[in-house]
Amino acid sequence: MRRPTIADIARQAGVSKGAVSYALNGQPGVSEATRARILAIANEIGWRPNIAARALNGARAHAVGLALCRPARFLGVEPFFMELISGIEAELSARSYALLLQVVGGHEAEMGVYRRWWGEGRVDGAILVDLHLDDPRVPQVEEMGMPVVVLGHPSAAGSLVPVWADDSAAVRETVEYLVALGHRRIARVAGLPRLSHTAIRDRAFGDVCAGLGLDTCPIVHTDYTGEEGARATRRLLSSSERPTAIVFDNDIMAVAGLSVAQEMRLDVPADLSIVAWDDSPLCQVVRPPLTVLTRDIPAYGAHAAQRLLALIDGAETRPLEDQAPRLTTRGSTAPPA
Amino acid sequence: MRRPTIADIARQAGVSKGAVSYALNGQPGVSEATRARILAIANEIGWRPNIAARALNGARAHAVGLALCRPARFLGVEPFFMELISGIEAELSARSYALLLQVVGGHEAEMGVYRRWWGEGRVDGAILVDLHLDDPRVPQVEEMGMPVVVLGHPSAAGSLVPVWADDSAAVRETVEYLVALGHRRIARVAGLPRLSHTAIRDRAFGDVCAGLGLDTCPIVHTDYTGEEGARATRRLLSSSERPTAIVFDNDIMAVAGLSVAQEMRLDVPADLSIVAWDDSPLCQVVRPPLTVLTRDIPAYGAHAAQRLLALIDGAETRPLEDQAPRLTTRGSTAPPA
DNA sequence: CCCTCGAACTGAACCGGTCCAGTGACGCTC
DNA sequence: GAGCGTCACTGGACCGGTTCAGTTCGAGGG
């Protein structure tokens, strides 16, 4: 039971392959009657275009690539990637593009995957995530000439098209809110220090705290896991200058931090206010529910996909600034006791 | 800057395209000297095989498909899919296969995606997840003739190759453990009732409870979200015959249930024991840490990918029974007060 | 020295589409 | 009714590989 080809259709319709091609692609060159006949036959015998054959004629691969460079154990931890992917997907599938996904162990492997995909004509472009400071992938991808959208701040994107959100503004909003509540000792439990968005948030945090004349504003770096979040929290809460508010870089660390505080018989929010980055069901399920910096992650992914498709079409190449994270206040923040 | 082709290599090496093809594919028909020369040139000019051209010759697409039929809001909720995907990926990438991913809204859309992928020669096979009772996808996929591995119990897989784990055994182990602790009133907060694995767990739960002569063993069905988990827990804990132990079908509901219990001033585990299905950082971060049914989800995905690749190669088609979930006891289970 | 055989390689068909240069028929105009 | 333009369609080259039937050549055997 061979797949039907346009040659089969041509034979049945009594026309040439060329005519069938025109008819099926909505191009001029065939009469409406013939077109209808050809479409009917194609439909009847269940013809589908063979993308390989199409791609061979210099056409699009109709797929974009995403290589995630994270150990598997971190992937499950954060809902971020799944939400991002579903957003990217929504945009892609609307244009019948597929997403090629690969989980890789490191940057070299990631570049190897991109090189292979691009070299094999498997993808028309890619999305780069988790930018590092001085990320080696940026110049390498630039050299490959593959259309690429970068999820991250323009300052780190080189000549690639960035899609980004203003994390600095979110940090500022959060700290100002906590200060308005009366907090003077605010700490930050951050993610991996080599990630560029961590650096941006760190700097914004330092700047805002200094600007507001706050006392000590420690930053502790972690690997985003609950264990490290708990350890960082324990350390902060045991210090002589115990902070009255902690801003966490993700939800899982915030929940871990909450548990640590409660273990230490501290009341949240009376003794300690907690803010998490990125909302998730988790943040609403714990007691008290967590005040969070909310992002529309699927939209973020969708915008990135949009820009990438535009880039592939040779159109839009300007940076795209997405909505900044918004502070959603819940029960975990209050004036210090 | 055109992509180099074997014609370019042939020209530079002064041989025919055919010879280059033999050399690059490790086939006999060229001398070792020539082969080395050709490989050197290919390497130097950065040649990569164009998969479209290869696929055109009836070769493999070197990709498998996974269409996830879940609303985006559920995807982020559970680490399950991300872990599954990373496991699938690990196996695929070792064999240079890519994973085509699409998130779809319903079963018809999902079948449309598979039909398109298969018809277009984009994938060599697919993995079917979240089997329903009398799942309409099974006969449809059978008819398409596409190699497919089903993640789910053989009884629901029709003639497709199932990869499954013995959930019944896990349910039995859990209930027997709780009974051994002294519990007599055990409840189950289950997932979507139309999913076949929910039905299997439900039946096992009923059977085991009946077999052990337990009193009432209510089952409440939910949609896997924290909100519904909380509501179900509230309902169970407010009933006249309050259960002393609850087994949840995922981690997020278990955590929500824990919060509800603590809100109701019940001590966990003294007044209520809690067991969650699927371990996650979340389960270890809350107080008390949750007793869970642990599965090696990445391994599960890897095994499914293995079986699928074997199936594509025309080899193995027997069902594969994976390791059953194992009970990992933590602080959330104890004898009833 | 001739014949055979295998290794090494060539040339061309082929996969399933796209697309361009032609071709023939028809209608319109002057 | 000759000339022209347009429409509908044909035939074939082409994309980048694979594969197979030949061809050439050198070595070995009798």
Side-chain angles (χ1 to χ4, degrees), chain A residues 102-152:
Chain A
Q102 188 146 347
V103 180
V104 295
H107 277 176
E108 310 80 51
E110 184 180 343
M111 286 311 302
V113 166
Y114 282 139
R115 249 184 262 280
R116 188 160 60 80
W117 282 349
W118 180 241
E120 293 177 350
R122 226 186 240 279
V123 299
D124 299 322
I127 297 177
L128 224 54
V129 297
D130 277 340
L131 272 205
H132 282 201
L133 296 165
D134 295 319
D135 200 305
R137 295 173 296 170
V138 172
Q140 290 184 45
V141 157
E142 280 171 341
E143 198 199 324
M144 283 169 59
M146 174 172 67
V148 165
V149 162
V150 162
L151 281 191

Side-chain angles (χ1 to χ4, degrees), chain B:
Chain B
M1 210 176 76
R2 233 180 68 267
R3 239 193 277 285
T5 72
I6 56 165
D8 299 325
I9 302 177
R11 206 176 319 112
Q12 281 196 44
V15 295
S16 69
K17 274 174 36 172
V20 174
S21 177
Y22 293 140
L24 293 172
N25 292 300
Q27 288 188 26
V30 283
S31 65
E32 281 313 311
T34 310
R35 187 188 302 277
R37 191 155 44 92
I38 288 172
L39 285 173
I41 294 173
N43 198 40
E44 193 201 340
I45 67 178
W47 174 85
R48 304 265 166 172
N50 180 322
I51 36 127
R54 277 202 172 148
L56 205 47
N57 292 288
R60 298 278 136 79
H62 280 271
V64 305
L66 177 62
L68 291 178
C69 170
R70 289 210 161 180
R73 73 186 178 107
F74 290 156
L75 270 177
V77 170
E78 292 171 284
F80 180 84
F81 280 108
M82 224 42 232
E83 292 193 31
L84 185 73
I85 288 170
S86 74
I88 293 173
E89 259 306 326
E91 196 59 34
L92 291 182
S93 60
R95 297 247 327 246
S96 285
Y97 264 69
L99 178 69
L100 264 176
L101 184 76
Q102 188 145 348
V103 179
V104 294
H107 278 176
E108 308 81 50
E110 184 179 343
M111 286 311 301
V113 167
Y114 283 138
R115 249 184 262 279
R116 188 160 60 79
W117 281 349
W118 180 242
E120 292 177 352
R122 228 187 236 282
V123 299
D124 300 323
I127 297 177
L128 224 54
V129 296
D130 276 342
L131 273 205
H132 282 202
L133 296 166
D134 293 320
D135 200 304
R137 294 173 299 171
V138 171
Q140 290 184 45
V141 157
E142 282 171 340
E143 198 200 323
M144 282 167 62
M146 174 171 67
V148 165
V149 163
V150 162
L151 280 191
H153 196 269
S155 65
S159 69
L160 304 174
V161 176
V163 173
W164 62 294
D166 192 351
D167 280 9
S168 301
V171 169
R172 186 172 319 115
E173 183 184 358
T174 306
V175 173
E176 285 174 354
Y177 163 70
L178 290 170
V179 167
L181 286 179
H183 293 274
R184 300 287 303 169
R185 287 196 308 278
I186 303 172
R188 164 169 155 79
V189 173
L192 293 166
R194 63 174 180 279
L195 291 176
S196 89
H197 71 256
T198 303
I200 287 167
R201 295 178 190 178
D202 282 354
R203 170 165 341 172
F205 184 73
D207 289 353
V208 177
C209 288
L212 292 170
L214 296 188
D215 317 333
T216 54
C217 290
I219 296 177
V220 185
H221 289 108
T222 69
D223 65 358
Y224 290 114
T225 59
E227 297 93 72
E228 290 223 357
R231 195 173 315 131
T233 309
R234 217 169 276 124
R235 180 135 53 96
L236 287 168
L237 295 182
S238 312
S239 69
S240 55
E241 295 249 291
R242 181 157 66 74
T244 59
I246 304 182
V247 183
F248 291 87
D249 242 358
N250 73 0
D251 53 346
I252 196 79
M253 292 197 295
V255 172
L258 173 64
S259 282
V260 166
Q262 292 173 338
E263 257 176 28
M264 294 173 79
R265 303 283 158 210
L266 293 176
D267 185 79
V268 175
D271 302 320
L272 178 72
S273 285
I274 287 179
V275 179
W277 202 292
D278 281 338
D279 199 4
S280 76
L282 179 50
C283 298
Q284 301 172 52
V285 148
V286 293
R287 296 300 131 184
L290 302 184
T291 292
V292 293
L293 281 160
T294 309
R295 290 189 285 183
D296 188 346
I297 301 171
Y300 195 37
H303 294 154
Q306 254 169 31
R307 261 295 191 278
L308 180 57
L309 292 179
L311 186 59
I312 289 170
D313 287 341
E316 195 61 77
T317 61
R318 283 174 304 137
L320 176 63
E321 181 174 357
D322 213 324
Q323 194 174 30
R326 296 172 309 287
L327 195 63
T328 303
T329 57
R330 299 209 186 94
S332 68
T333 44

Side-chain angles (χ1 to χ4, degrees), chain A residues 126-197:
Chain A
I127 297 177
L128 224 54
V129 297
D130 277 340
L131 272 205
H132 282 201
L133 296 165
D134 295 319
D135 200 305
R137 295 173 296 170
V138 172
Q140 290 184 45
V141 157
E142 280 171 341
E143 198 199 324
M144 283 169 59
M146 174 172 67
V148 165
V149 162
V150 162
L151 281 191
H153 195 267
S155 65
S159 69
L160 304 175
V161 176
V163 173
W164 62 295
D166 192 350
D167 279 9
S168 302
V171 169
R172 186 173 317 113
E173 184 184 358
T174 306
V175 173
E176 286 174 354
Y177 162 71
L178 291 170
V179 168
L181 286 179
H183 293 274
R184 299 287 300 169
R185 289 197 306 279
I186 303 173
R188 164 170 154 77
V189 173
L192 293 166
R194 63 175 181 279
L195 291 176
S196 90
H197 72 255

Side-chain angles (χ1 to χ4, degrees), chain A residues 25-84:
Chain A
N25 291 300
Q27 287 187 25
V30 283
S31 65
E32 281 313 310
T34 309
R35 186 188 304 274
R37 191 156 44 93
I38 289 172
L39 285 174
I41 294 173
N43 198 42
E44 193 202 339
I45 66 178
W47 174 85
R48 305 265 167 173
N50 179 322
I51 37 129
R54 277 203 172 145
L56 205 47
N57 292 289
R60 299 277 139 77
H62 281 273
V64 305
L66 177 62
L68 291 178
C69 170
R70 291 208 159 182
R73 74 189 179 105
F74 290 157
L75 269 178
V77 170
E78 294 171 283
F80 181 85
F81 280 107
M82 224 42 232
E83 291 192 32
L84 186 72

